[in-house]
Amino acid sequence: MTPRLVIGIVDPCCPSGYGAGTLATGLGGTEATVLNVVGALTGSFRFQLFQNRRTEASQAAGVAAFPLAEADRADCAAMVVINSWKAACRLRTRHPDVPITLWLHIFPGRHNRAMGAALRDHGIDVVCVSQSHADALVAFLGDGPKPRIGHIWNCIADDLAPDATPRDPDLLLYASSPHKGLAEVLARFAALRDRMPGLRLEVADPGYLRWEVGEIPAGVTMLGRLDHPALIDRMRCALCLFYPQTTFRETFGLVLAEANAVGTPVLAQAGLGANDEVLRGAGQCRDVSDPDLVEQQVRAWQARAPAVSVLAGFRLAAVADRWAGHLGGLLDRDTDARMSAHAR
């Protein structure tokens, strides 16, 4: 049997170490996606995880995890670095012959415009998490040199689907970190509740970031951190995922896709980040700064639940296939480069 090649997943930015045993807890979308993709591909590759703030090595579900510094000495056929282009470039100096991909889940800040030339010069390509994310990165880098940039969507479970759970027509749900516009969402909920006094809003906070959101309006219940099955249960109960904020751009928006997968519509700002790419139809993307439109949409969904669904390409099986193809392509390009160098 052909031995499985080792792929290193390097996460210099995670708030703490994570592994298969933490999947059901309140992980951020990036960490959950990493673990789901790794789990789906363990039959094809061996994975080693190198993580920020991990203090000792561990192993779970056949995947070894190590402190971040161990990545410098790792023996991997290829490496995937999460979010940090500078860490990816540093690893290139430690591993000059190993194919490296930057798996970008964020929008880089203005001070990172040098990343395009640096990544290209170091032979590091970029995988974004949506087409709109990739387009935004290309625009951000402008006319300067750029690496190869593509996208592979983040993933939702293959079996996530609507069920017979009754929906509460007066229950709205916010299910993201508070830095993703929660203060604005609360203000819009308070204005909407003045018009529709029976409405309630539940807020599920994954708990990985403290953020000041001001006074909590009447009708709001702060749920704190929920494990993933409990969060999905709240999505099934709610009239909609209530996300009417205009400042935070989602690069993908995992909870938006999960809500649609269980039949729950999402009220979100049109033209912001990946909202329109992930949320299709049913009036989900609107100008949420218009209180009349917000009220109109909520009342319409109360009168008749919309039919919403997700693209098949968001499902884990499809995303894992894309990643298997990407990793295989990395290794093939590396083999071709070695053969070309040997021929010379």
Side-chain angles (χ1 to χ4, degrees):
M1 184 170 64
T2 304
R4 292 173 297 158
L5 295 174
V6 176
I7 308 297
I9 308 289
V10 183
D11 192 341
C13 306
C14 56
S16 61
Y18 55 94
T22 59
L23 252 178
T25 65
L27 284 179
T30 298
E31 293 85 359
T33 297
V34 170
L35 292 180
N36 281 319
V37 170
V38 164
L41 292 180
T42 51
S44 303
F45 304 96
R46 289 173 53 209
F47 288 93
Q48 294 180 352
L49 310 181
F50 303 91
Q51 298 171 337
N52 183 47
R53 297 191 179 178
R54 176 175 286 281
T55 57
E56 58 186 22
S58 69
Q59 184 150 334
V63 178
F66 302 93
L68 182 62
E70 295 296 314
D72 287 350
R73 298 179 289 278
D75 183 13
C76 298
M79 305 184 91
V80 177
V81 180
I82 310 297
N83 286 337
S84 175
W85 65 272
K86 292 180 180 179
C89 292
R90 283 196 299 270
L91 280 171
R92 165 60 69 229
T93 65
R94 308 293 197 278
H95 303 279
D97 299 320
V98 173
I100 298 175
T101 284
L102 176 66
W103 190 0
L104 196 64
H105 294 252
I106 59 175
F107 291 108
R110 287 176 294 178
H111 59 289
N112 289 305
R113 295 190 190 278
M115 68 185 287
L119 291 169
R120 191 199 64 174
D121 292 347
H122 285 82
I124 297 168
D125 59 6
V126 181
V127 171
C128 296
V129 295
S130 66
Q131 181 64 61
S132 56
H133 184 207
D135 292 344
L137 179 62
V138 170
F140 170 78
L141 295 176
D143 296 330
K146 301 177 187 65
R148 187 187 313 224
I149 298 171
H151 83 277
I152 301 175
W153 286 309
N154 281 348
C155 56
I156 62 172
D158 292 324
D159 60 354
L160 204 56
D163 67 9
T165 302
R167 295 196 184 278
D168 183 336
D170 292 323
L171 177 62
L172 314 179
L173 175 68
Y174 174 93
S176 294
S177 178
H179 75 285
K180 296 184 177 184
L182 178 56
E184 185 179 0
V185 169
L186 293 176
R188 296 201 188 282
F189 172 75
L192 180 61
R193 194 169 188 263
D194 285 342
R195 300 174 176 218
M196 304 174 67
L199 291 180
R200 308 181 326 276
L201 174 67
E202 293 184 344
V203 175
D205 176 358
Y208 56 76
L209 183 64
R210 293 183 179 274
W211 198 264
E212 179 57 47
V213 297
E215 185 177 352
I216 305 302
V220 176
T221 299
M222 306 299 288
L223 300 177
R225 188 174 74 178
L226 301 179
D227 63 26
H228 192 254
L231 177 59
I232 296 300
D233 285 346
R234 299 318 299 158
M235 285 183 183
R236 295 186 188 281
C237 294
L239 173 74
C240 70
L241 197 68
F242 192 65
Y243 200 39
Q245 58 84 29
T246 60
T247 57
F248 186 88
R249 296 181 296 162
E250 293 281 5
T251 54
F252 179 77
L254 193 60
V255 295
L256 313 185
E258 288 181 328
N260 274 192
V262 300
T264 303
V266 180
L267 185 58
Q269 174 64 33
L272 183 66
N275 288 355
D276 296 271
E277 185 175 347
V278 173
L279 305 170
R280 301 179 183 225
Q284 297 182 93
C285 293
R286 308 294 296 265
D287 176 8
V288 297
S289 66
D290 185 334
D292 293 333
L293 286 180
V294 171
E295 179 186 1
Q296 177 189 81
Q297 195 60 71
V298 171
R299 288 191 185 277
W301 288 342
Q302 285 181 324
R304 183 175 181 178
V308 295
S309 60
V310 292
L311 291 180
F314 297 168
R315 298 290 184 178
L316 176 57
V319 171
D321 282 347
R322 292 276 304 276
W323 268 107
H326 177 78
L327 294 171
L330 273 185
L331 297 169
D332 288 344
R333 292 204 305 270
D334 181 57
T335 299
D336 291 345
R338 289 172 186 267
M339 291 178 65
S340 176
H342 179 73
R344 290 197 297 270

